[in-house]
Amino acid sequence: MIGPQRIVCLTEEPTETLYALGEQDRIVGISGFTVRPPQARREKPKVSAFTSAKIDEILKLRPDLAIGFSDIQADIAAELVRQGVEVWISNHRSVDGIVDYVRRLGALVGAAMRANAYADVLQRGLDDVRAQAARLPRRPKVYFEEWDEPQITGIRWVSELIGIAGGDDVFPEMAREPLAKQRILADGSEVVRRAPDIILGSWCGKKFRPDKVARRPGWEAIPAVRDGELHEIKSPLVLQPGPAALTDGVRAIADIVQAWAARRA
């Protein structure tokens, strides 16, 4: 076996990817937010959240690599580096970036061939969803909300998945902003003006409440609110930039879009 032998996964996507590649024996610690695959929660100690980590517990695991995601985990990464741990923080934000991430992680653990094959399967799945969407008679306008207070619109890969599934993100210009604070809506009435046909909520870490959204001042004029098209997408399915988003996540969006289209056929 080549590559790192004792990996701590600070977020869910490296855990899900390594399990998919059959390399789960390398994992010695995971994020407490991990839900995919379910057996990971039973088999691996939970040593981190998203913005914090049990550094002492991680060091006891004697990791030779820690894998995390984005600037939000910069402080965790810096502390681990100071403690002599090698760290890889990926910062991919697009669908293509997720597919490439699978390939890079596989190469890192000496499973490049399996990773490339798996990435090809993920890509073909996306192509199938895109082909189904091409047959829709009409594309709905979609507002994706990542958080409610303040209101934060969807990140780039989510916006792209909406497009693949047959919808059009009503805030595509904000999806290009990498940081959540840059995707805060200064004025919720802009959602009313853009008039989405579907509202998707994925409030990271808490349950989406369509009733609360529908009661926002002026939002009764939004087609999605008028027609009851407010739907939750569970955050582990779309807010982790890994295999879940490219499989169950995009299919969950596609199911909602196709059902919307069928009701208007």
Side-chain angles (χ1 to χ4, degrees):
M1 185 183 289
I2 62 173
Q5 310 296 306
R6 301 183 62 80
I7 299 175
V8 168
C9 298
L10 301 172
T11 53
E12 183 178 66
E13 63 276 359
T15 299
E16 185 176 15
T17 301
L18 289 170
Y19 268 84
L21 299 179
E23 297 291 339
Q24 63 269 21
D25 288 349
R26 298 175 185 264
I27 301 172
V28 295
I30 62 172
S31 163
F33 290 122
T34 300
V35 297
R36 296 169 63 99
Q39 61 264 41
R41 290 189 67 82
R42 299 191 297 268
E43 297 172 348
K44 309 295 182 180
K46 293 172 278 295
V47 293
S48 74
F50 196 50
T51 58
S52 63
K54 302 173 184 176
I55 300 298
D56 289 344
E57 294 301 313
I58 290 175
L59 295 177
K60 288 177 184 177
L61 295 171
R62 297 178 290 107
D64 51 11
L65 179 66
I67 302 175
F69 173 73
S70 88
D71 53 286
I72 294 177
Q73 295 198 309
D75 291 343
I76 300 172
E79 181 58 30
L80 289 173
V81 169
R82 282 193 286 268
Q83 296 293 334
V85 179
E86 187 171 338
V87 179
W88 177 34
I89 297 292
S90 62
N91 213 13
H92 53 289
R93 306 289 175 133
S94 66
V95 168
D96 286 346
I98 296 173
V99 175
D100 184 59
Y101 171 81
V102 170
R103 300 184 193 278
R104 287 188 292 153
L105 180 51
L108 190 64
V109 299
M113 289 183 62
R114 270 177 283 136
N116 287 333
Y118 181 47
D120 289 345
V121 169
L122 294 174
Q123 186 62 60
R124 285 195 296 272
L126 293 171
D127 294 342
D128 289 344
V129 173
R130 187 183 283 110
Q132 293 170 9
R135 296 192 288 270
L136 294 174
R138 180 181 159 204
R139 295 176 66 91
K141 293 187 292 182
V142 180
Y143 167 57
F144 184 94
E145 188 169 282
E146 187 176 306
W147 192 248
D148 62 327
E149 294 177 346
Q151 292 163 30
I152 300 177
T153 62
I155 199 167
R156 179 178 172 181
W157 73 77
V158 174
S159 179
E160 292 175 350
L161 291 176
I162 289 169
I164 291 169
D168 294 317
D169 179 14
V170 296
F171 287 103
E173 76 283 5
M174 296 188 73
R176 291 283 170 169
E177 299 291 348
L179 304 181
K181 65 182 180 181
Q182 297 169 327
R183 290 181 276 109
I184 295 174
L185 286 178
D187 185 359
S189 65
E190 184 62 19
V191 181
V192 180
R193 193 184 73 78
R194 300 195 185 195
D197 301 296
I198 296 171
I199 292 176
L200 301 178
S202 186
W203 296 347
C204 187
K206 68 178 181 180
K207 185 173 177 58
F208 176 62
R209 290 184 53 193
D211 59 319
K212 184 177 179 182
V213 173
R215 290 196 302 268
R216 290 173 182 167
W219 282 45
E220 69 276 0
I222 297 174
V225 174
R226 182 192 65 217
D227 299 337
E229 294 285 357
L230 296 91
H231 306 274
E232 180 175 31
I233 305 287
K234 298 293 186 183
S235 55
L237 296 186
V238 291
L239 295 185
Q240 300 279 7
L246 307 191
T247 53
D248 292 350
V250 71
R251 284 195 289 268
I253 299 171
D255 287 346
I256 292 168
V257 169
Q258 289 167 14
W260 175 91
R263 285 191 285 273
R264 285 150 186 80

